[in-house]
Structure formats: C-alpha cells, structure tokens
Amino acid sequence: MNFLRAFAPWIVYAVVPSAYWQWAALTAAAIALAELVLRLRARYSVDGLIIEIGSLVYFSALSGLAFTHPGTPLHAYAPALANGALAVIAIASLVLRAPFTLGIAKQSTPPELWEQPLFIRTGYLLTGVWAASFATGCLVLALLAHASAGVLTGVHLLIFGVPAVFTLWYVARVRSRAAALSAAHS
C-alpha cells in the first residue's frame, strides 16, 4: 500500500476539520517533507517521488496562504484546489512520460519487470484513472464548496476510494493474467 504513504499528506489534510485548515496544511507539508527526506535517503529515484514533491510544493504554498490570509475566500475552495493540484501532478507525470503510479509500483516490483510493456501500460492506465478522479473531484468539490462537512467527507472518500479500489483490483487482475500466460508458456 505504498500509494497510501504517498497520499498521506492529502489524507491528513482532508480529515482535519476545516476550522483548523492552517494547521492541517502545515501538518501536510511537514508529512510531505518527512516522506520526501526518508525516500531520498533510501535512494528512491525522482520518478518515484512525483507525488511527494508535488505535495510538498502544494502544501507549502497553501500553508503560506493559510497563515498570511486566514480569512481568504479561497479557504472554502481549498479541497477543490487540492484535487486540482493532484490532477495537475498526475497529468504532468503522464505528459513527462513518468506516470506517478509507475514510481510507486517500482517500490514493490522487481526491477526486471520495470521495462515490461504490461507494467508500463498498467502504470499509464492507473495514472489516468487517478488523474480523472482528481479532476472530477476538483469540479465536484468546487460546486459543493459550501456544503456540509459530511457531504465533503463523502466526496473525498469517493475521490480516493474509487481509484484505490480500482488500482487494487486491476493490479490483481494483471498479475493473474501474467501468471496464467507465464504458466501457459512454461
């Protein structure tokens, strides 16, 4: 579940009550920084740090805004902006031909599989699914910016839950098919 660690700052920010948004943003930035430092010390490649770098940049900027302008009208739209930032990060990783899910997958996949077309194609597909979820979440959360906390929490759960469940299901399906093909060729 490496993707849960990658998204930890976003999850923390999403679950802290809105009244404490400054502290939530600062905590998320600290978590992103700590995770980035840990992974750099463990010699992770940059393609495996796309979410961590994007998280640190976003939450550092949001912390600056939150503490310097705590009453900004943007506060109500912070969840939508967070999902927009994640969508930009995911789409940029696709454009740069470094889908963020590949970097995460490489952390638990043997290096001999990293160049396999199926592994690469799976990374692109999964990153596309996450990008679509984040973009959709950005739009929905912008429309629901002034909804109740319960509604916003439900939307957040869907934004992260749907692609997470799809990722687990699809990876299991790909592994099963790959094992079947390998067994057939043996």
Side-chain angles (χ1 to χ4, degrees):
M1 292 257 172
N2 286 323
F3 63 90
L4 285 179
R5 277 184 62 188
F7 290 121
W10 304 90
I11 295 166
V12 166
Y13 182 77
V15 299
V16 172
S18 177
Y20 305 103
W21 76 296
Q22 298 99 324
W23 298 106
L26 187 60
T27 301
I31 291 169
L33 177 61
E35 190 64 25
L36 184 59
V37 168
L38 287 172
R39 290 182 185 229
L40 285 171
R41 284 188 177 161
R43 303 211 184 273
Y44 282 69
S45 63
V46 174
D47 68 336
L49 302 172
I50 292 169
I51 292 293
E52 290 82 356
I53 293 167
S55 299
L56 180 58
V57 169
Y58 177 77
F59 285 115
S60 295
L62 186 63
S63 294
L65 173 68
F67 280 102
T68 59
H69 297 74
T72 179
L74 288 176
H75 175 218
Y77 297 94
L81 293 171
N83 278 274
L86 281 166
V88 167
I89 293 166
I91 292 167
S93 77
L94 289 169
V95 169
L96 296 172
R97 297 180 186 259
F100 80 85
T101 57
L102 279 181
I104 293 170
K106 286 179 180 179
Q107 297 166 18
S108 61
T109 304
E112 58 270 13
L113 298 178
W114 295 358
E115 299 302 321
Q116 295 294 319
L118 180 60
F119 181 77
I120 295 168
R121 187 171 50 250
T122 300
Y124 274 92
L125 175 76
L126 294 177
T127 299
V129 167
W130 282 92
S133 184
F134 296 143
T136 302
C138 176
L139 294 172
V140 170
L141 288 167
L143 292 171
L144 297 174
H146 300 286
S148 71
V151 169
L152 295 175
T153 299
V155 172
H156 280 292
L157 289 172
L158 287 172
I159 292 166
F160 282 93
V162 169
V165 168
F166 177 81
T167 297
L168 293 172
W169 171 80
Y170 191 77
V171 168
R173 183 173 180 238
V174 166
R175 286 181 179 158
S176 175
R177 283 188 172 179
L181 284 173
S182 179
H185 290 288
S186 295

